[in-house]
Coordinates of all heavy atoms in Angstrom, one line a residue:
I34 N 113.2 91.0 95.9 CA 112.2 90.1 95.5 C 112.5 88.6 95.8 O 113.6 88.2 95.5 CB 111.9 90.2 94.0 CG1 111.1 91.4 93.7 CG2 111.1 89.0 93.5 CD1 109.6 91.4 94.1
A35 N 111.6 87.9 96.4 CA 111.7 86.5 96.6 C 110.4 85.8 96.0 O 109.3 86.2 96.4 CB 111.9 86.1 98.0
T36 N 110.5 85.0 95.0 CA 109.3 84.6 94.2 C 109.3 83.0 94.2 O 110.3 82.5 93.9 CB 109.3 85.0 92.8 OG1 109.4 86.5 92.8 CG2 108.0 84.6 92.2
V37 N 108.3 82.4 94.7 CA 108.0 81.0 94.6 C 107.0 80.8 93.4 O 105.9 81.3 93.5 CB 107.5 80.3 95.9 CG1 107.3 78.9 95.6 CG2 108.5 80.6 97.0
I38 N 107.5 80.2 92.3 CA 106.6 80.0 91.1 C 106.3 78.5 91.0 O 107.2 77.7 91.0 CB 107.4 80.4 89.8 CG1 107.9 81.8 90.0 CG2 106.5 80.4 88.7 CD1 109.0 82.2 89.0
T39 N 105.0 78.2 91.2 CA 104.5 76.8 91.0 C 104.3 76.6 89.5 O 103.5 77.3 88.9 CB 103.3 76.5 91.8 OG1 103.5 76.8 93.2 CG2 102.8 75.1 91.6
V40 N 104.9 75.7 88.9 CA 104.8 75.4 87.6 C 104.4 73.9 87.3 O 104.8 73.0 88.1 CB 106.1 75.6 86.7 CG1 106.5 77.1 86.9 CG2 107.3 74.7 87.1
E41 N 103.8 73.6 86.3 CA 103.4 72.3 85.8 C 104.2 71.9 84.5 O 104.2 72.8 83.6 CB 102.0 72.1 85.5 CG 101.6 70.6 85.1 CD 100.1 70.5 84.8 OE1 99.3 71.4 85.2 OE2 99.7 69.4 84.2
A42 N 104.9 70.8 84.5 CA 105.7 70.4 83.4 C 104.7 69.9 82.3 O 103.9 68.9 82.5 CB 106.6 69.3 83.8
T43 N 104.7 70.5 81.1 CA 103.9 70.1 80.0 C 104.8 69.3 79.0 O 104.2 68.7 78.1 CB 103.3 71.4 79.3 OG1 104.4 72.3 78.9 CG2 102.4 72.1 80.2
E44 N 106.1 69.4 79.2 CA 107.0 68.6 78.4 C 108.1 68.1 79.3 O 108.4 68.7 80.4 CB 107.6 69.3 77.2 CG 106.6 69.8 76.2 CD 107.2 70.6 75.1 OE1 108.4 70.3 74.8 OE2 106.6 71.5 74.6
A45 N 108.9 67.1 78.9 CA 110.0 66.5 79.7 C 111.2 67.4 79.4 O 112.1 66.9 78.7 CB 110.2 65.1 79.4
V46 N 111.3 68.6 79.9 CA 112.4 69.5 79.6 C 113.4 69.5 80.8 O 113.1 69.2 81.9 CB 111.9 70.9 79.4 CG1 111.0 71.0 78.2 CG2 111.1 71.4 80.6
D47 N 114.6 69.9 80.5 CA 115.7 70.0 81.5 C 116.1 71.4 81.7 O 117.2 71.7 82.1 CB 116.9 69.1 81.2 CG 117.5 69.4 79.8 OD1 117.1 70.3 79.2 OD2 118.4 68.6 79.5
V48 N 115.3 72.4 81.3 CA 115.6 73.8 81.5 C 114.2 74.5 81.8 O 113.2 74.2 81.1 CB 116.3 74.5 80.3 CG1 115.5 74.3 79.0 CG2 116.6 75.9 80.6
I49 N 114.2 75.4 82.7 CA 113.0 76.2 83.0 C 113.4 77.6 82.5 O 114.4 78.2 83.0 CB 112.7 76.2 84.5 CG1 112.2 74.8 84.9 CG2 111.6 77.2 84.8 CD1 112.0 74.6 86.4
V50 N 112.5 78.2 81.6 CA 112.8 79.5 81.2 C 111.8 80.5 81.8 O 110.6 80.3 81.6 CB 112.7 79.6 79.6 CG1 113.1 81.0 79.0 CG2 113.7 78.5 79.0
L51 N 112.3 81.6 82.4 CA 111.4 82.7 82.9 C 111.9 83.9 82.3 O 113.0 84.1 81.9 CB 111.6 82.7 84.4 CG 111.3 81.4 85.2 CD1 111.6 81.7 86.7 CD2 109.7 81.1 85.1
N52 N 110.9 84.9 82.3 CA 111.2 86.2 81.8 C 111.8 87.1 83.0 O 111.3 87.0 84.1 CB 110.0 86.9 81.3 CG 109.7 86.5 79.9 OD1 108.5 85.9 79.7 ND2 110.5 86.6 78.9
A53 N 112.8 87.9 82.8 CA 113.4 88.8 83.7 C 114.0 89.9 83.0 O 114.7 89.6 82.0 CB 114.3 88.1 84.7
K54 N 113.9 91.1 83.5 CA 114.5 92.3 82.8 C 115.0 93.3 83.9 O 114.2 93.7 84.8 CB 113.5 93.0 81.9 CG 114.1 94.2 81.1 CD 113.0 94.8 80.3 CE 113.5 96.1 79.6 NZ 112.5 96.7 78.7
Q55 N 116.2 93.7 83.8 CA 116.8 94.6 84.8 C 116.7 94.1 86.3 O 116.5 94.9 87.2 CB 116.1 96.0 84.6 CG 116.3 96.6 83.2 CD 115.7 98.0 83.0 OE1 115.1 98.5 83.9 NE2 115.7 98.5 81.8
L56 N 116.7 92.8 86.4 CA 116.8 92.2 87.7 C 118.1 91.5 87.9 O 118.5 90.8 87.0 CB 115.6 91.2 87.9 CG 114.2 91.7 87.9 CD1 113.2 90.6 88.0 CD2 114.0 92.7 89.0
D57 N 118.7 91.6 89.1 CA 119.9 90.9 89.4 C 119.4 89.6 90.1 O 119.2 89.6 91.3 CB 120.8 91.7 90.4 CG 122.1 91.0 90.6 OD1 122.4 90.0 90.1 OD2 122.8 91.5 91.5
V58 N 119.3 88.5 89.3 CA 118.8 87.3 89.8 C 119.9 86.4 90.4 O 121.0 86.3 89.8 CB 118.1 86.5 88.6 CG1 117.6 85.1 89.1 CG2 117.0 87.3 88.0
A59 N 119.7 86.0 91.7 CA 120.6 85.2 92.4 C 120.9 83.9 91.7 O 120.0 83.3 91.1 CB 120.2 85.0 93.8
K60 N 122.1 83.3 91.8 CA 122.5 82.1 91.2 C 121.8 80.9 91.9 O 121.6 79.8 91.4 CB 124.0 81.9 91.2 CG 124.7 82.7 90.1 CD 124.5 82.0 88.7 CE 125.4 82.6 87.7 NZ 125.3 81.8 86.4
K61 N 121.5 81.1 93.2 CA 120.9 80.0 94.0 C 119.4 79.9 93.7 O 118.7 80.7 94.3 CB 121.2 80.2 95.5 CG 120.7 79.0 96.3 CD 121.1 79.2 97.8 CE 120.6 78.0 98.6 NZ 120.9 78.1 100.0
V62 N 119.0 79.0 92.9 CA 117.7 78.7 92.6 C 117.3 77.3 93.1 O 118.0 76.4 92.9 CB 117.3 78.8 91.1 CG1 115.9 78.4 90.9 CG2 117.5 80.3 90.7
V63 N 116.2 77.2 93.8 CA 115.8 75.9 94.3 C 114.5 75.4 93.6 O 113.6 76.1 93.4 CB 115.5 76.0 95.9 CG1 115.0 74.6 96.4 CG2 116.7 76.4 96.7
V64 N 114.5 74.2 93.1 CA 113.5 73.6 92.5 C 113.0 72.3 93.2 O 113.7 71.3 93.3 CB 113.8 73.2 91.0 CG1 112.6 72.6 90.3 CG2 114.2 74.4 90.2
D65 N 111.8 72.4 93.8 CA 111.3 71.3 94.6 C 110.0 70.8 93.8 O 109.2 71.6 93.4 CB 110.9 71.7 96.0 CG 112.1 71.9 96.9 OD1 113.0 71.1 96.8 OD2 112.1 72.9 97.6
G66 N 109.9 69.5 93.7 CA 108.8 68.9 93.0 C 107.9 68.0 93.9 O 108.3 67.6 95.0
E67 N 106.8 67.6 93.3 CA 106.0 66.6 94.0 C 105.4 65.7 92.9 O 104.7 66.2 91.9 CB 104.9 67.4 94.8 CG 104.0 66.4 95.6 CD 103.0 67.1 96.4 OE1 103.4 67.7 97.5 OE2 101.8 67.1 96.1
D68 N 105.6 64.5 93.0 CA 105.1 63.6 91.9 C 103.6 63.3 92.1 O 102.9 63.8 93.1 CB 105.8 62.3 91.8 CG 105.7 61.4 93.1 OD1 104.7 61.5 93.9 OD2 106.6 60.5 93.3
K69 N 103.0 62.6 91.3 CA 101.5 62.3 91.3 C 101.1 61.5 92.6 O 99.9 61.5 92.9 CB 101.1 61.5 90.1 CG 101.3 62.3 88.8 CD 101.0 61.5 87.6 CE 101.3 62.3 86.3 NZ 101.1 61.5 85.1
N70 N 102.1 60.9 93.3 CA 101.7 60.2 94.5 C 102.0 61.1 95.8 O 101.8 60.6 96.9 CB 102.6 59.0 94.6 CG 102.3 57.9 93.5 OD1 101.1 57.7 93.2 ND2 103.3 57.4 92.9
G71 N 102.3 62.4 95.5 CA 102.5 63.3 96.6 C 103.9 63.2 97.3 O 104.1 63.8 98.4
V72 N 104.8 62.5 96.6 CA 106.2 62.4 97.1 C 107.1 63.6 96.8 O 107.0 63.9 95.6 CB 106.8 61.1 96.7 CG1 108.2 60.9 97.2 CG2 106.0 59.9 97.1
S73 N 107.7 64.2 97.7 CA 108.6 65.3 97.4 C 109.8 64.9 96.7 O 110.4 63.9 97.0 CB 109.0 66.0 98.7 OG 107.8 66.5 99.4
V74 N 110.2 65.8 95.7 CA 111.3 65.4 94.9 C 112.2 66.8 94.8 O 111.6 67.8 94.4 CB 110.9 64.9 93.5 CG1 112.2 64.7 92.6 CG2 110.2 63.7 93.6
R75 N 113.5 66.7 95.1 CA 114.4 67.9 94.9 C 115.0 67.8 93.5 O 115.7 66.7 93.2 CB 115.4 68.0 96.0 CG 116.5 69.0 95.8 CD 116.0 70.5 95.7 NE 115.2 70.9 96.9 CZ 115.8 71.5 98.0 NH1 117.1 71.7 98.0 NH2 115.1 71.8 99.0
V76 N 114.9 68.7 92.7 CA 115.5 68.7 91.3 C 116.8 69.5 91.3 O 116.8 70.6 91.7 CB 114.5 69.3 90.3 CG1 115.2 69.2 88.9 CG2 113.2 68.6 90.2
P77 N 117.9 68.8 91.0 CA 119.2 69.5 91.0 C 119.2 70.7 90.0 O 118.8 70.5 88.9 CB 120.2 68.4 90.7 CG 119.5 67.4 90.0 CD 118.0 67.4 90.6
V78 N 119.8 71.8 90.4 CA 120.0 72.9 89.4 C 121.5 73.0 89.2 O 122.3 73.2 90.0 CB 119.5 74.2 90.0 CG1 119.8 75.4 89.2 CG2 118.0 74.2 90.3
S79 N 121.9 72.9 87.8 CA 123.2 72.9 87.5 C 123.8 74.3 87.2 O 125.0 74.6 87.4 CB 123.5 72.0 86.3 OG 122.7 72.4 85.2
D80 N 122.9 75.2 86.7 CA 123.4 76.6 86.5 C 122.1 77.5 86.3 O 121.0 77.0 86.0 CB 124.3 76.6 85.2 CG 125.1 77.9 85.1 OD1 125.1 78.6 86.1 OD2 125.9 78.0 84.2
V81 N 122.4 78.7 86.4 CA 121.4 79.8 86.2 C 122.0 80.8 85.2 O 123.0 81.4 85.6 CB 120.9 80.5 87.5 CG1 119.9 81.6 87.2 CG2 120.3 79.4 88.4
V82 N 121.4 81.0 84.1 CA 122.0 81.8 83.0 C 121.1 82.9 82.6 O 119.9 82.6 82.3 CB 122.4 81.0 81.8 CG1 123.1 81.9 80.7 CG2 123.3 79.9 82.1
F83 N 121.5 84.2 82.7 CA 120.7 85.3 82.4 C 121.0 85.8 80.9 O 122.2 86.0 80.6 CB 120.9 86.4 83.3 CG 120.0 87.7 83.1 CD1 118.7 87.6 83.0 CD2 120.7 88.9 82.8 CE1 117.9 88.7 82.7 CE2 119.9 90.1 82.5 CZ 118.5 90.0 82.5
H84 N 120.0 85.9 80.1 CA 120.2 86.4 78.7 C 119.5 87.7 78.6 O 118.3 87.9 78.4 CB 119.5 85.4 77.7 CG 120.1 84.0 77.7 ND1 121.3 83.7 77.1 CD2 119.7 82.9 78.3 CE1 121.6 82.5 77.2 NE2 120.6 81.9 78.0
E85 N 120.3 88.8 78.8 CA 119.9 90.2 78.7 C 119.1 90.5 77.5 O 118.1 91.2 77.5 CB 121.0 91.1 79.0 CG 120.6 92.5 79.1 CD 121.7 93.5 79.5 OE1 122.8 93.0 79.7 OE2 121.5 94.7 79.7
D86 N 119.7 90.0 76.4 CA 119.2 90.4 75.0 C 117.7 89.8 74.8 O 116.9 90.3 74.2 CB 120.0 90.0 73.9 CG 120.3 88.4 73.9 OD1 120.3 87.9 75.0 OD2 120.6 87.9 72.8
R87 N 117.5 88.7 75.5 CA 116.2 87.9 75.3 C 115.2 88.2 76.5 O 114.2 87.7 76.5 CB 116.4 86.5 75.1 CG 117.3 86.1 73.9 CD 117.0 84.6 73.5 NE 117.1 83.6 74.6 CZ 118.2 82.8 74.6 NH1 119.2 83.0 73.7 NH2 118.3 82.0 75.5
E88 N 115.8 88.9 77.5 CA 115.1 89.2 78.7 C 114.6 87.9 79.4 O 113.4 87.7 79.7 CB 113.8 90.1 78.4 CG 114.3 91.4 77.9 CD 113.2 92.4 77.4 OE1 112.0 91.9 77.6 OE2 113.5 93.4 76.9
E89 N 115.5 86.9 79.5 CA 115.1 85.6 80.0 C 116.2 85.1 81.0 O 117.4 85.5 80.9 CB 115.2 84.5 78.8 CG 114.0 84.7 77.9 CD 114.0 83.7 76.7 OE1 115.1 82.9 76.6 OE2 113.0 83.6 76.0
V90 N 115.8 84.3 82.0 CA 116.6 83.5 82.8 C 116.4 82.1 82.5 O 115.2 81.6 82.6 CB 116.3 83.8 84.3 CG1 117.1 82.9 85.2 CG2 116.6 85.2 84.6
E91 N 117.5 81.4 82.2 CA 117.4 79.9 82.0 C 117.9 79.2 83.3 O 119.0 79.5 83.7 CB 118.2 79.5 80.8 CG 117.6 79.9 79.5 CD 118.4 79.2 78.3 OE1 119.7 79.0 78.5 OE2 117.9 79.1 77.2
I92 N 117.1 78.3 83.8 CA 117.4 77.5 85.0 C 117.7 76.1 84.4 O 116.8 75.4 84.1 CB 116.3 77.5 86.1 CG1 116.0 79.0 86.5 CG2 116.7 76.7 87.2 CD1 114.7 79.1 87.2
L93 N 119.0 75.8 84.4 CA 119.4 74.6 83.8 C 119.4 73.5 84.9 O 119.9 73.6 86.0 CB 120.9 74.7 83.3 CG 121.1 75.8 82.3 CD1 122.5 75.8 81.8 CD2 120.1 75.7 81.1
L94 N 118.7 72.4 84.6 CA 118.4 71.3 85.6 C 119.3 70.1 85.3 O 119.7 69.9 84.2 CB 116.9 70.9 85.5 CG 115.9 72.1 85.6 CD1 114.5 71.5 85.4 CD2 116.0 72.7 86.9
G95 N 119.5 69.4 86.4 CA 120.4 68.2 86.4 C 119.6 67.0 85.9 O 120.2 65.9 85.6
K96 N 118.3 67.1 85.8 CA 117.5 65.9 85.2 C 116.2 66.6 84.6 O 115.9 67.7 84.9 CB 117.1 64.9 86.2 CG 116.2 65.4 87.3 CD 115.8 64.2 88.3 CE 114.8 64.7 89.3 NZ 114.4 63.5 90.1
K97 N 115.5 65.8 83.7 CA 114.4 66.3 83.1 C 113.2 66.3 84.1 O 113.0 65.4 84.9 CB 114.1 65.5 81.8 CG 115.0 65.7 80.7 CD 114.6 65.0 79.4 CE 115.6 65.3 78.3 NZ 115.1 64.6 77.0
L98 N 112.3 67.3 83.8 CA 111.1 67.3 84.6 C 110.1 66.2 84.1 O 110.2 65.7 82.9 CB 110.3 68.6 84.4 CG 111.2 69.9 84.8 CD1 110.3 71.1 84.6 CD2 111.6 69.8 86.3
T99 N 109.2 65.7 84.9 CA 108.2 64.7 84.6 C 106.9 65.4 84.2 O 106.4 66.2 84.9 CB 108.0 63.8 85.8 OG1 109.2 63.1 86.2 CG2 107.0 62.7 85.4
V100 N 106.5 65.0 83.0 CA 105.3 65.6 82.5 C 104.1 65.4 83.4 O 103.9 64.3 83.8 CB 104.9 65.0 81.1 CG1 103.6 65.6 80.5 CG2 106.0 65.4 80.1
G101 N 103.4 66.4 83.7 CA 102.2 66.4 84.6 C 102.5 66.6 86.1 O 101.6 66.9 86.8
D102 N 103.8 66.6 86.4 CA 104.1 66.9 87.8 C 104.2 68.4 88.0 O 104.5 69.2 87.1 CB 105.4 66.2 88.2 CG 105.3 64.7 88.4 OD1 104.2 64.2 88.4 OD2 106.3 64.1 88.6
T103 N 104.1 68.9 89.3 CA 104.2 70.2 89.6 C 105.5 70.5 90.4 O 105.9 69.6 91.1 CB 103.0 70.8 90.4 OG1 102.9 70.0 91.6 CG2 101.7 70.7 89.6
Y104 N 106.0 71.7 90.2 CA 107.4 72.0 90.8 C 107.3 73.4 91.4 O 106.7 74.3 90.8 CB 108.5 71.9 89.9 CG 108.7 70.6 89.2 CD1 107.8 70.2 88.2 CD2 109.5 69.6 89.8 CE1 108.0 68.9 87.6 CE2 109.6 68.4 89.3 CZ 108.9 68.0 88.2 OH 109.0 66.7 87.5
N105 N 107.9 73.7 92.5 CA 108.0 75.0 93.1 C 109.4 75.5 92.8 O 110.5 74.9 93.3 CB 107.7 75.0 94.6 CG 106.3 74.7 95.0 OD1 105.4 75.1 94.2 ND2 106.1 74.0 96.1
V106 N 109.5 76.6 92.1 CA 110.8 77.2 91.7 C 111.0 78.4 92.5 O 110.2 79.4 92.4 CB 110.8 77.6 90.2 CG1 112.1 78.1 89.9 CG2 110.4 76.4 89.4

Side-chain angles (χ1 to χ4, degrees):
I34 282 287
T36 306
V37 179
I38 309 164
T39 301
V40 301
E41 180 181 348
T43 57
E44 297 179 30
V46 294
D47 57 3
V48 58
I49 295 174
V50 182
L51 301 173
N52 287 119
K54 180 180 179 182
Q55 298 176 7
L56 294 177
D57 184 8
V58 178
K60 281 284 189 177
K61 185 177 181 181
V62 173
V63 177
V64 180
D65 288 316
E67 185 175 286
D68 65 21
K69 296 175 182 178
N70 297 318
V72 178
S73 297
V74 179
R75 172 63 59 89
V76 179
V78 176
S79 58
D80 201 2
V81 177
V82 182
F83 180 58
H84 298 281
E85 184 175 0
D86 58 332
R87 302 203 304 258
E88 300 175 2
E89 290 178 353
V90 172
E91 286 187 335
I92 303 168
L93 307 180
L94 307 175
K96 67 176 185 178
K97 291 186 176 182
L98 303 181
T99 301
V100 175
D102 285 356
T103 58
Y104 301 85
N105 289 326
V106 184

